[in-house]
Amino acid sequence: MKQEALLAQLAEIVGSSHVLFEGDLSAWELDWRKRYRGKALAVVRPVDTAQVAAVVKACAAHGAALVPQGGNTGLVGGGVPDDSGTQVLLSLGRMQRVRQLDSANLTMTVDAGCVLQAVQQAADAAGLLFPLSLAAEGSCTIGGNLATNAGGTQVLRYGNARELCLGLEVVTAEGDIWDGLSGLRKDNTGYDLRDMFIGSEGTLGIITGATLKLFPKPAARMTALAACADVPAAVDLLTLARQRLDAGLTGFELMSAFALQLVATHFPQLPRPLPNAAWAVLLELSGQDESQARGALEALLGEAMEQGLVDDAVVAESLAQSSALWHLRESIPLAQAEEGLNIKHDIALPVSAIPDFVAETDAALARLVPGARLVNFGHLGDGNLHYNVQAPEGGSAAAFLATHEPAVNTLVYDAVKRHGGSISAEHGIGALKRDTLPLYKSPVALGLMRAIKQALDPHGRLNPGRML
Amino acid sequence: MKQEALLAQLAEIVGSSHVLFEGDLSAWELDWRKRYRGKALAVVRPVDTAQVAAVVKACAAHGAALVPQGGNTGLVGGGVPDDSGTQVLLSLGRMQRVRQLDSANLTMTVDAGCVLQAVQQAADAAGLLFPLSLAAEGSCTIGGNLATNAGGTQVLRYGNARELCLGLEVVTAEGDIWDGLSGLRKDNTGYDLRDMFIGSEGTLGIITGATLKLFPKPAARMTALAACADVPAAVDLLTLARQRLDAGLTGFELMSAFALQLVATHFPQLPRPLPNAAWAVLLELSGQDESQARGALEALLGEAMEQGLVDDAVVAESLAQSSALWHLRESIPLAQAEEGLNIKHDIALPVSAIPDFVAETDAALARLVPGARLVNFGHLGDGNLHYNVQAPEGGSAAAFLATHEPAVNTLVYDAVKRHGGSISAEHGIGALKRDTLPLYKSPVALGLMRAIKQALDPHGRLNPGRML
């Protein structure tokens, strides 16, 4: 009865065709990796910030909890409702306006529901670059990217989603609108509310709009693939590349021989450059002059070979060759999936700790699960590894996960902690790692987080059960 | 009696020679612009984080308020005690250890009391760059830089203090130590506590250590001075420079003819290039190759002249000439002081709004105070102007300030707000702008700030009366 009153009020706010509570709602209730299926009281689809504020106020008045959702591409179950049937799923997907693009200020202001690719395209149409780029860019939204502080492939040069945002518009737990849509590079007038909301996974407020940083488009991009004998050589190559290329270095991706072998097995039509490399590094250099960029990249690789860091290398001669190299890197997650489920880790470490971490953890895993196969690859330039563990060859993936997942996670995360790393580099906490977090985060940090949550959402109505 | 018990306990913690309450304490009690003089219960000088935590606990037990202080170079009275004689001045100046420098990870971890210049030098000694640079670098501390989110001359390329920090160690209002000294580029395991403390001016916690980002040292730096006919031309030059030089553009400073004329009047021994420029722009380009950098800078200036954005330009031919150009820019604040007190504004605007802002505000000021002289200069690349108003020629500076300061501030700040700007770009709020802030910040933002303050410092013991 009380729920019906709320549903009627929500229909009044957004229109009854945008309050969904019948039929197949799995587009909103099931996460895309199909590990979390919830049941919402209703899916509510506001079209602007005023509607979001009114929805939040109505839910507050009825004591209903809200789960904000963008493109529903999250990897940790942070954006789907629980199975209680009492939570309102607030989909921002209809809020898709590009509100302003300011070329002289290198900023654009957009609704939270804009799809990342649409944001990239709007910047591109103005001759500018919005550099956030990740696999889900065709369906994830900028609001979700900011709520989870997304990473991706260009963090080395341009930073995470956090570093690409100058201002936010947020609806608070009370249903007030905070207009923090600033296009300023400098503003020291109070606490950093923007960064408090970024990465808070919808638990402190609902991001409804953002002012984003744009960049000049690089005129030239050069890509190379280099073979390294071991991880320490790859780390030394990174140090040399940063020295020689500085901000020109826009990509530095590490791939193990086994990761590339999976790609070769499952996608035999793809080219396989440097087939004997123990480790392959994908380097990308961006610049304003093509011949200078090529010269700098070739000089770097020459110097690295002289120093014994690189055994062999290929430099892409065309955009098509460059895309082919990136395609290899991007095919690793798909090749893994073809090989069968594995135990995934999205970890970050100080770059200097990576050689020891890999050597120790590889050895410890081999002792724990003899024959387990490591799919080690990732954004080495950011210290971010996707350090995944695949069942021994021929074994059942499901049985492997059922038997070994908890012990493997503990082994990996304990090693991460020992080396000063993070158990979630770019994917967040959500529901998946909520119970793991307290094992690896200090009680003081957790206490500060709880104090902030209590201050901003005292009734616990925003995305409850996530993160904290 | 109660105060004596606290003093005895503090002496036990840090040693009696580091608890000062007699004699001339103006090094700590008087701000360096001599506008705020307080009276502390005592100046307490801990040597490490454990001592800071113990001091905070002792003060909490006795209900005493704490005012943290670094190098006492702040510009808004945020680091000196009030005149009640009840506040404990916590000086971090003895905490000067460089705890770790990690070249492969491009990070260093330091005590909060390290002087900025010492941090720069430690990085330099390792062949690396810590790019934060500002006038007070010989005496300000990195803890103060982070507590106030300092800006300076290299923000365009490297960001504010906030962007240069990866991790923090903070003592909370309860005297707990939060060890957030992470050297990670990616870490999505909870709320962004780091950025909440950065820029909070000691009102939420006491920064005791930090992990800082380092960068490769540019091998080449090129400097040029360009004459522009007006502010729109200077803004268009910035757009062109960012397109052509991208991350190579490390400095873009604007100076009005009157600002440079003050330098010529008070420092006649300095060279005066481009004496007829209505506006002068100082450009700096950093790169890894000297001849490429020179070529790029000369090509940019040639293109800008063809487009009519630049009337004349000089490129420094040596490090000495480059230093001389920077010296002109850095002499403006001193020349102003020689000319007499003025009304200072540290404002930020979207770069695209600056031409209209300057035209409108110049005209409105001329109507409000006929003959008032504008000293307009600043970090145009960041949208940050030091838009200062000097008494009419020959008039008394003191009488001018007494008569006109409130109305001039209102006129300037109202215009800043209309154009989407900030009334404090890099200096902060402190005591100086505490009562002005509510006039220009939204009630929702102020409400969020108060909720955070209440959550983290419920008894209001950390730097009370500052910011909020």
PDB file of all heavy atoms in Angstrom, chain A residues 102 105 149 186-189 191 203 243 288 351-352 422 424 426 441, chain B residues 102 105 186-189 191 203 243 288 351-352 422 424 426 441:
ATOM      1  N   ASP A 102      33.260  24.017 -24.445  1.00  0.00           N
ATOM      2  CA  ASP A 102      33.994  25.286 -24.423  1.00  0.00           C
ATOM      3  C   ASP A 102      35.423  25.019 -24.913  1.00  0.00           C
ATOM      4  O   ASP A 102      36.286  24.598 -24.143  1.00  0.00           O
ATOM      5  CB  ASP A 102      33.972  25.826 -22.988  1.00  0.00           C
ATOM      6  CG  ASP A 102      34.644  27.184 -22.838  1.00  0.00           C
ATOM      7  OD1 ASP A 102      35.423  27.557 -23.748  1.00  0.00           O
ATOM      8  OD2 ASP A 102      34.408  27.858 -21.821  1.00  0.00           O
ATOM      9  N   ASN A 105      38.329  26.951 -23.229  1.00  0.00           N
ATOM     10  CA  ASN A 105      38.606  26.511 -21.859  1.00  0.00           C
ATOM     11  C   ASN A 105      38.949  25.026 -21.793  1.00  0.00           C
ATOM     12  O   ASN A 105      39.281  24.513 -20.735  1.00  0.00           O
ATOM     13  CB  ASN A 105      37.387  26.803 -20.967  1.00  0.00           C
ATOM     14  CG  ASN A 105      37.730  26.775 -19.493  1.00  0.00           C
ATOM     15  OD1 ASN A 105      38.742  27.333 -19.081  1.00  0.00           O
ATOM     16  ND2 ASN A 105      36.913  26.108 -18.699  1.00  0.00           N
ATOM     17  N   ASN A 149      35.316   5.961 -10.613  1.00  0.00           N
ATOM     18  CA  ASN A 149      36.670   6.412 -10.943  1.00  0.00           C
ATOM     19  C   ASN A 149      37.350   5.462 -11.929  1.00  0.00           C
ATOM     20  O   ASN A 149      38.411   4.895 -11.655  1.00  0.00           O
ATOM     21  CB  ASN A 149      37.519   6.568  -9.669  1.00  0.00           C
ATOM     22  CG  ASN A 149      38.885   7.191  -9.951  1.00  0.00           C
ATOM     23  OD1 ASN A 149      39.051   7.943 -10.917  1.00  0.00           O
ATOM     24  ND2 ASN A 149      39.869   6.871  -9.129  1.00  0.00           N
ATOM     25  N   LYS A 186      41.749  25.877 -11.053  1.00  0.00           N
ATOM     26  CA  LYS A 186      42.186  26.209  -9.695  1.00  0.00           C
ATOM     27  C   LYS A 186      40.981  26.733  -8.925  1.00  0.00           C
ATOM     28  O   LYS A 186      40.302  27.650  -9.397  1.00  0.00           O
ATOM     29  CB  LYS A 186      43.250  27.314  -9.730  1.00  0.00           C
ATOM     30  CG  LYS A 186      44.628  26.887 -10.180  1.00  0.00           C
ATOM     31  CD  LYS A 186      45.580  28.067 -10.068  1.00  0.00           C
ATOM     32  CE  LYS A 186      47.009  27.676 -10.355  1.00  0.00           C
ATOM     33  NZ  LYS A 186      47.890  28.862 -10.372  1.00  0.00           N
ATOM     34  N   ASP A 187      40.742  26.207  -7.760  1.00  0.00           N
ATOM     35  CA  ASP A 187      39.641  26.686  -6.931  1.00  0.00           C
ATOM     36  C   ASP A 187      39.860  26.193  -5.515  1.00  0.00           C
ATOM     37  O   ASP A 187      39.571  25.048  -5.204  1.00  0.00           O
ATOM     38  CB  ASP A 187      38.300  26.176  -7.482  1.00  0.00           C
ATOM     39  CG  ASP A 187      37.124  26.702  -6.676  1.00  0.00           C
ATOM     40  OD1 ASP A 187      37.311  27.659  -5.899  1.00  0.00           O
ATOM     41  OD2 ASP A 187      36.021  26.157  -6.826  1.00  0.00           O
ATOM     42  N   ASN A 188      40.377  27.080  -4.660  1.00  0.00           N
ATOM     43  CA  ASN A 188      40.640  26.685  -3.275  1.00  0.00           C
ATOM     44  C   ASN A 188      39.645  27.357  -2.334  1.00  0.00           C
ATOM     45  O   ASN A 188      40.018  28.119  -1.456  1.00  0.00           O
ATOM     46  CB  ASN A 188      42.088  27.025  -2.893  1.00  0.00           C
ATOM     47  CG  ASN A 188      43.068  25.996  -3.427  1.00  0.00           C
ATOM     48  OD1 ASN A 188      42.675  24.917  -3.855  1.00  0.00           O
ATOM     49  ND2 ASN A 188      44.348  26.314  -3.405  1.00  0.00           N
ATOM     50  N   THR A 189      38.372  27.063  -2.543  1.00  0.00           N
ATOM     51  CA  THR A 189      37.339  27.661  -1.696  1.00  0.00           C
ATOM     52  C   THR A 189      36.579  26.587  -0.937  1.00  0.00           C
ATOM     53  O   THR A 189      35.352  26.544  -0.968  1.00  0.00           O
ATOM     54  CB  THR A 189      36.338  28.485  -2.538  1.00  0.00           C
ATOM     55  OG1 THR A 189      35.756  27.617  -3.519  1.00  0.00           O
ATOM     56  CG2 THR A 189      37.002  29.648  -3.238  1.00  0.00           C
ATOM     57  N   TYR A 191      36.340  22.446   1.055  1.00  0.00           N
ATOM     58  CA  TYR A 191      36.682  21.033   0.949  1.00  0.00           C
ATOM     59  C   TYR A 191      36.433  20.524  -0.467  1.00  0.00           C
ATOM     60  O   TYR A 191      35.576  21.030  -1.180  1.00  0.00           O
ATOM     61  CB  TYR A 191      35.858  20.205   1.938  1.00  0.00           C
ATOM     62  CG  TYR A 191      36.030  20.614   3.374  1.00  0.00           C
ATOM     63  CD1 TYR A 191      35.015  20.420   4.305  1.00  0.00           C
ATOM     64  CD2 TYR A 191      37.204  21.203   3.832  1.00  0.00           C
ATOM     65  CE1 TYR A 191      35.158  20.793   5.635  1.00  0.00           C
ATOM     66  CE2 TYR A 191      37.359  21.578   5.159  1.00  0.00           C
ATOM     67  CZ  TYR A 191      36.330  21.373   6.053  1.00  0.00           C
ATOM     68  OH  TYR A 191      36.462  21.745   7.362  1.00  0.00           O
ATOM     69  N   THR A 203      27.180   5.861  -3.172  1.00  0.00           N
ATOM     70  CA  THR A 203      26.797   5.688  -1.766  1.00  0.00           C
ATOM     71  C   THR A 203      26.716   7.004  -1.005  1.00  0.00           C
ATOM     72  O   THR A 203      26.265   7.030   0.137  1.00  0.00           O
ATOM     73  CB  THR A 203      27.788   4.761  -1.019  1.00  0.00           C
ATOM     74  OG1 THR A 203      29.077   5.404  -1.007  1.00  0.00           O
ATOM     75  CG2 THR A 203      27.914   3.411  -1.706  1.00  0.00           C
ATOM     76  N   GLN A 243      61.728   8.491 -19.119  1.00  0.00           N
ATOM     77  CA  GLN A 243      62.812   9.486 -19.229  1.00  0.00           C
ATOM     78  C   GLN A 243      62.884  10.078 -20.624  1.00  0.00           C
ATOM     79  O   GLN A 243      63.014  11.279 -20.803  1.00  0.00           O
ATOM     80  CB  GLN A 243      64.172   8.837 -18.910  1.00  0.00           C
ATOM     81  CG  GLN A 243      64.501   8.770 -17.444  1.00  0.00           C
ATOM     82  CD  GLN A 243      65.727   7.888 -17.206  1.00  0.00           C
ATOM     83  OE1 GLN A 243      66.450   7.525 -18.133  1.00  0.00           O
ATOM     84  NE2 GLN A 243      65.948   7.528 -15.954  1.00  0.00           N
ATOM     85  N   GLN A 288      52.979  15.704 -31.688  1.00  0.00           N
ATOM     86  CA  GLN A 288      52.384  16.637 -32.633  1.00  0.00           C
ATOM     87  C   GLN A 288      53.048  16.538 -34.010  1.00  0.00           C
ATOM     88  O   GLN A 288      52.625  17.188 -34.943  1.00  0.00           O
ATOM     89  CB  GLN A 288      52.465  18.071 -32.093  1.00  0.00           C
ATOM     90  CG  GLN A 288      51.719  18.290 -30.755  1.00  0.00           C
ATOM     91  CD  GLN A 288      50.292  17.777 -30.756  1.00  0.00           C
ATOM     92  OE1 GLN A 288      49.989  16.719 -30.225  1.00  0.00           O
ATOM     93  NE2 GLN A 288      49.396  18.514 -31.393  1.00  0.00           N
ATOM     94  N   VAL A 351      55.222   0.426  -9.073  1.00  0.00           N
ATOM     95  CA  VAL A 351      55.880  -0.204 -10.219  1.00  0.00           C
ATOM     96  C   VAL A 351      57.160  -0.918  -9.782  1.00  0.00           C
ATOM     97  O   VAL A 351      57.466  -2.026 -10.243  1.00  0.00           O
ATOM     98  CB  VAL A 351      56.189   0.859 -11.302  1.00  0.00           C
ATOM     99  CG1 VAL A 351      57.082   0.276 -12.383  1.00  0.00           C
ATOM    100  CG2 VAL A 351      54.882   1.373 -11.923  1.00  0.00           C
ATOM    101  N   SER A 352      57.872  -0.304  -8.852  1.00  0.00           N
ATOM    102  CA  SER A 352      59.144  -0.869  -8.394  1.00  0.00           C
ATOM    103  C   SER A 352      58.957  -2.189  -7.659  1.00  0.00           C
ATOM    104  O   SER A 352      59.908  -2.956  -7.521  1.00  0.00           O
ATOM    105  CB  SER A 352      59.836   0.135  -7.470  1.00  0.00           C
ATOM    106  OG  SER A 352      58.928   0.564  -6.462  1.00  0.00           O
ATOM    107  N   SER A 422      47.119  -2.347  -3.924  1.00  0.00           N
ATOM    108  CA  SER A 422      45.669  -2.205  -3.773  1.00  0.00           C
ATOM    109  C   SER A 422      44.966  -3.433  -4.329  1.00  0.00           C
ATOM    110  O   SER A 422      45.311  -3.915  -5.404  1.00  0.00           O
ATOM    111  CB  SER A 422      45.188  -0.964  -4.537  1.00  0.00           C
ATOM    112  OG  SER A 422      43.780  -1.003  -4.697  1.00  0.00           O
ATOM    113  N   SER A 424      41.954  -3.397  -5.400  1.00  0.00           N
ATOM    114  CA  SER A 424      41.080  -2.998  -6.502  1.00  0.00           C
ATOM    115  C   SER A 424      41.635  -1.739  -7.152  1.00  0.00           C
ATOM    116  O   SER A 424      41.481  -0.635  -6.642  1.00  0.00           O
ATOM    117  CB  SER A 424      39.651  -2.762  -6.034  1.00  0.00           C
ATOM    118  OG  SER A 424      38.844  -2.507  -7.182  1.00  0.00           O
ATOM    119  N   GLU A 426      41.087  -0.536 -10.463  1.00  0.00           N
ATOM    120  CA  GLU A 426      40.178   0.289 -11.252  1.00  0.00           C
ATOM    121  C   GLU A 426      38.733  -0.189 -11.242  1.00  0.00           C
ATOM    122  O   GLU A 426      37.861   0.530 -11.689  1.00  0.00           O
ATOM    123  CB  GLU A 426      40.692   0.455 -12.694  1.00  0.00           C
ATOM    124  CG  GLU A 426      40.999  -0.855 -13.422  1.00  0.00           C
ATOM    125  CD  GLU A 426      41.521  -0.637 -14.851  1.00  0.00           C
ATOM    126  OE1 GLU A 426      41.926   0.473 -15.179  1.00  0.00           O
ATOM    127  OE2 GLU A 426      41.506  -1.612 -15.629  1.00  0.00           O
ATOM    128  N   LYS A 441      42.035  -2.963   4.456  1.00  0.00           N
ATOM    129  CA  LYS A 441      42.020  -1.512   4.672  1.00  0.00           C
ATOM    130  C   LYS A 441      42.170  -1.272   6.165  1.00  0.00           C
ATOM    131  O   LYS A 441      41.614  -2.008   6.974  1.00  0.00           O
ATOM    132  CB  LYS A 441      40.670  -0.958   4.179  1.00  0.00           C
ATOM    133  CG  LYS A 441      40.638   0.526   3.986  1.00  0.00           C
ATOM    134  CD  LYS A 441      40.719   0.887   2.522  1.00  0.00           C
ATOM    135  CE  LYS A 441      40.697   2.370   2.302  1.00  0.00           C
ATOM    136  NZ  LYS A 441      41.110   2.708   0.937  1.00  0.00           N
TER     137      LYS A 441
ATOM    138  N   ASP B 102      61.767   6.545  -4.513  1.00  0.00           N
ATOM    139  CA  ASP B 102      61.642   5.337  -5.333  1.00  0.00           C
ATOM    140  C   ASP B 102      61.691   5.758  -6.805  1.00  0.00           C
ATOM    141  O   ASP B 102      60.682   6.161  -7.379  1.00  0.00           O
ATOM    142  CB  ASP B 102      60.318   4.644  -4.977  1.00  0.00           C
ATOM    143  CG  ASP B 102      60.102   3.336  -5.735  1.00  0.00           C
ATOM    144  OD1 ASP B 102      60.773   3.133  -6.770  1.00  0.00           O
ATOM    145  OD2 ASP B 102      59.261   2.532  -5.300  1.00  0.00           O
ATOM    146  N   ASN B 105      59.414   3.899  -9.326  1.00  0.00           N
ATOM    147  CA  ASN B 105      57.996   4.211  -9.171  1.00  0.00           C
ATOM    148  C   ASN B 105      57.718   5.703  -9.334  1.00  0.00           C
ATOM    149  O   ASN B 105      56.570   6.129  -9.293  1.00  0.00           O
ATOM    150  CB  ASN B 105      57.503   3.734  -7.801  1.00  0.00           C
ATOM    151  CG  ASN B 105      56.000   3.646  -7.712  1.00  0.00           C
ATOM    152  OD1 ASN B 105      55.352   3.145  -8.637  1.00  0.00           O
ATOM    153  ND2 ASN B 105      55.432   4.145  -6.629  1.00  0.00           N
ATOM    154  N   LYS B 186      46.723   3.954  -9.136  1.00  0.00           N
ATOM    155  CA  LYS B 186      45.336   3.510  -9.210  1.00  0.00           C
ATOM    156  C   LYS B 186      44.990   2.811  -7.910  1.00  0.00           C
ATOM    157  O   LYS B 186      45.708   1.904  -7.486  1.00  0.00           O
ATOM    158  CB  LYS B 186      45.154   2.505 -10.361  1.00  0.00           C
ATOM    159  CG  LYS B 186      45.152   3.096 -11.748  1.00  0.00           C
ATOM    160  CD  LYS B 186      44.874   1.986 -12.755  1.00  0.00           C
ATOM    161  CE  LYS B 186      44.726   2.515 -14.165  1.00  0.00           C
ATOM    162  NZ  LYS B 186      44.575   1.401 -15.137  1.00  0.00           N
ATOM    163  N   ASP B 187      43.893   3.200  -7.317  1.00  0.00           N
ATOM    164  CA  ASP B 187      43.453   2.547  -6.085  1.00  0.00           C
ATOM    165  C   ASP B 187      41.999   2.900  -5.857  1.00  0.00           C
ATOM    166  O   ASP B 187      41.685   3.986  -5.375  1.00  0.00           O
ATOM    167  CB  ASP B 187      44.313   3.019  -4.904  1.00  0.00           C
ATOM    168  CG  ASP B 187      43.912   2.318  -3.612  1.00  0.00           C
ATOM    169  OD1 ASP B 187      43.204   1.295  -3.670  1.00  0.00           O
ATOM    170  OD2 ASP B 187      44.319   2.795  -2.540  1.00  0.00           O
ATOM    171  N   ASN B 188      41.093   2.000  -6.209  1.00  0.00           N
ATOM    172  CA  ASN B 188      39.668   2.254  -6.030  1.00  0.00           C
ATOM    173  C   ASN B 188      39.110   1.395  -4.907  1.00  0.00           C
ATOM    174  O   ASN B 188      38.222   0.580  -5.095  1.00  0.00           O
ATOM    175  CB  ASN B 188      38.921   1.998  -7.352  1.00  0.00           C
ATOM    176  CG  ASN B 188      39.065   3.158  -8.317  1.00  0.00           C
ATOM    177  OD1 ASN B 188      39.508   4.251  -7.948  1.00  0.00           O
ATOM    178  ND2 ASN B 188      38.692   2.941  -9.571  1.00  0.00           N
ATOM    179  N   THR B 189      39.646   1.615  -3.718  1.00  0.00           N
ATOM    180  CA  THR B 189      39.184   0.839  -2.559  1.00  0.00           C
ATOM    181  C   THR B 189      38.575   1.764  -1.513  1.00  0.00           C
ATOM    182  O   THR B 189      38.950   1.726  -0.348  1.00  0.00           O
ATOM    183  CB  THR B 189      40.335   0.041  -1.915  1.00  0.00           C
ATOM    184  OG1 THR B 189      41.376   0.968  -1.546  1.00  0.00           O
ATOM    185  CG2 THR B 189      40.895  -0.993  -2.855  1.00  0.00           C
ATOM    186  N   TYR B 191      36.402   5.657  -0.289  1.00  0.00           N
ATOM    187  CA  TYR B 191      36.301   7.099  -0.499  1.00  0.00           C
ATOM    188  C   TYR B 191      37.685   7.727  -0.601  1.00  0.00           C
ATOM    189  O   TYR B 191      38.663   7.238  -0.039  1.00  0.00           O
ATOM    190  CB  TYR B 191      35.524   7.748   0.653  1.00  0.00           C
ATOM    191  CG  TYR B 191      34.126   7.211   0.841  1.00  0.00           C
ATOM    192  CD1 TYR B 191      33.515   7.234   2.091  1.00  0.00           C
ATOM    193  CD2 TYR B 191      33.413   6.675  -0.227  1.00  0.00           C
ATOM    194  CE1 TYR B 191      32.230   6.733   2.273  1.00  0.00           C
ATOM    195  CE2 TYR B 191      32.134   6.179  -0.056  1.00  0.00           C
ATOM    196  CZ  TYR B 191      31.549   6.199   1.196  1.00  0.00           C
ATOM    197  OH  TYR B 191      30.289   5.706   1.368  1.00  0.00           O
ATOM    198  N   THR B 203      41.719  21.815   9.058  1.00  0.00           N
ATOM    199  CA  THR B 203      40.476  21.806   9.834  1.00  0.00           C
ATOM    200  C   THR B 203      39.877  20.416   9.981  1.00  0.00           C
ATOM    201  O   THR B 203      38.920  20.240  10.728  1.00  0.00           O
ATOM    202  CB  THR B 203      39.409  22.722   9.187  1.00  0.00           C
ATOM    203  OG1 THR B 203      39.074  22.191   7.888  1.00  0.00           O
ATOM    204  CG2 THR B 203      39.914  24.147   9.029  1.00  0.00           C
ATOM    205  N   GLN B 243      47.379  23.603 -28.618  1.00  0.00           N
ATOM    206  CA  GLN B 243      47.251  22.723 -29.785  1.00  0.00           C
ATOM    207  C   GLN B 243      48.612  22.278 -30.311  1.00  0.00           C
ATOM    208  O   GLN B 243      48.832  21.115 -30.611  1.00  0.00           O
ATOM    209  CB  GLN B 243      46.519  23.446 -30.911  1.00  0.00           C
ATOM    210  CG  GLN B 243      45.005  23.387 -30.826  1.00  0.00           C
ATOM    211  CD  GLN B 243      44.365  24.325 -31.837  1.00  0.00           C
ATOM    212  OE1 GLN B 243      45.034  24.842 -32.731  1.00  0.00           O
ATOM    213  NE2 GLN B 243      43.075  24.565 -31.680  1.00  0.00           N
ATOM    214  N   GLN B 288      62.440  17.083 -24.447  1.00  0.00           N
ATOM    215  CA  GLN B 288      63.591  16.212 -24.238  1.00  0.00           C
ATOM    216  C   GLN B 288      64.711  16.513 -25.235  1.00  0.00           C
ATOM    217  O   GLN B 288      65.782  15.932 -25.153  1.00  0.00           O
ATOM    218  CB  GLN B 288      63.174  14.742 -24.309  1.00  0.00           C
ATOM    219  CG  GLN B 288      62.139  14.334 -23.266  1.00  0.00           C
ATOM    220  CD  GLN B 288      62.504  14.710 -21.831  1.00  0.00           C
ATOM    221  OE1 GLN B 288      61.998  15.685 -21.266  1.00  0.00           O
ATOM    222  NE2 GLN B 288      63.418  13.978 -21.240  1.00  0.00           N
ATOM    223  N   VAL B 351      38.985  30.023 -18.796  1.00  0.00           N
ATOM    224  CA  VAL B 351      39.845  30.828 -19.674  1.00  0.00           C
ATOM    225  C   VAL B 351      39.010  31.592 -20.704  1.00  0.00           C
ATOM    226  O   VAL B 351      39.272  32.762 -21.009  1.00  0.00           O
ATOM    227  CB  VAL B 351      40.875  29.918 -20.371  1.00  0.00           C
ATOM    228  CG1 VAL B 351      41.603  30.671 -21.466  1.00  0.00           C
ATOM    229  CG2 VAL B 351      41.874  29.387 -19.351  1.00  0.00           C
ATOM    230  N   SER B 352      37.969  30.937 -21.199  1.00  0.00           N
ATOM    231  CA  SER B 352      37.128  31.556 -22.222  1.00  0.00           C
ATOM    232  C   SER B 352      36.369  32.772 -21.697  1.00  0.00           C
ATOM    233  O   SER B 352      35.918  33.613 -22.477  1.00  0.00           O
ATOM    234  CB  SER B 352      36.122  30.522 -22.741  1.00  0.00           C
ATOM    235  OG  SER B 352      35.449  29.919 -21.639  1.00  0.00           O
ATOM    236  N   SER B 422      36.136  31.603  -9.320  1.00  0.00           N
ATOM    237  CA  SER B 422      36.423  31.321  -7.910  1.00  0.00           C
ATOM    238  C   SER B 422      37.056  32.543  -7.259  1.00  0.00           C
ATOM    239  O   SER B 422      37.948  33.168  -7.844  1.00  0.00           O
ATOM    240  CB  SER B 422      37.386  30.139  -7.800  1.00  0.00           C
ATOM    241  OG  SER B 422      37.945  30.070  -6.500  1.00  0.00           O
ATOM    242  N   SER B 424      38.931  32.403  -4.691  1.00  0.00           N
ATOM    243  CA  SER B 424      40.268  32.054  -4.202  1.00  0.00           C
ATOM    244  C   SER B 424      40.826  30.928  -5.054  1.00  0.00           C
ATOM    245  O   SER B 424      40.465  29.765  -4.879  1.00  0.00           O
ATOM    246  CB  SER B 424      40.245  31.657  -2.733  1.00  0.00           C
ATOM    247  OG  SER B 424      41.583  31.489  -2.284  1.00  0.00           O
ATOM    248  N   GLU B 426      44.246  30.033  -5.556  1.00  0.00           N
ATOM    249  CA  GLU B 426      45.324  29.213  -4.997  1.00  0.00           C
ATOM    250  C   GLU B 426      45.688  29.570  -3.563  1.00  0.00           C
ATOM    251  O   GLU B 426      46.423  28.840  -2.923  1.00  0.00           O
ATOM    252  CB  GLU B 426      46.578  29.245  -5.910  1.00  0.00           C
ATOM    253  CG  GLU B 426      47.088  30.641  -6.242  1.00  0.00           C
ATOM    254  CD  GLU B 426      48.329  30.637  -7.162  1.00  0.00           C
ATOM    255  OE1 GLU B 426      48.649  29.611  -7.760  1.00  0.00           O
ATOM    256  OE2 GLU B 426      48.994  31.693  -7.240  1.00  0.00           O
ATOM    257  N   LYS B 441      29.518  30.944  -2.091  1.00  0.00           N
ATOM    258  CA  LYS B 441      29.434  29.479  -2.182  1.00  0.00           C
ATOM    259  C   LYS B 441      27.983  29.087  -1.930  1.00  0.00           C
ATOM    260  O   LYS B 441      27.319  29.682  -1.089  1.00  0.00           O
ATOM    261  CB  LYS B 441      30.341  28.885  -1.097  1.00  0.00           C
ATOM    262  CG  LYS B 441      30.663  27.422  -1.277  1.00  0.00           C
ATOM    263  CD  LYS B 441      32.075  27.231  -1.777  1.00  0.00           C
ATOM    264  CE  LYS B 441      32.389  25.776  -1.989  1.00  0.00           C
ATOM    265  NZ  LYS B 441      33.605  25.609  -2.800  1.00  0.00           N
TER     266      LYS B 441
END
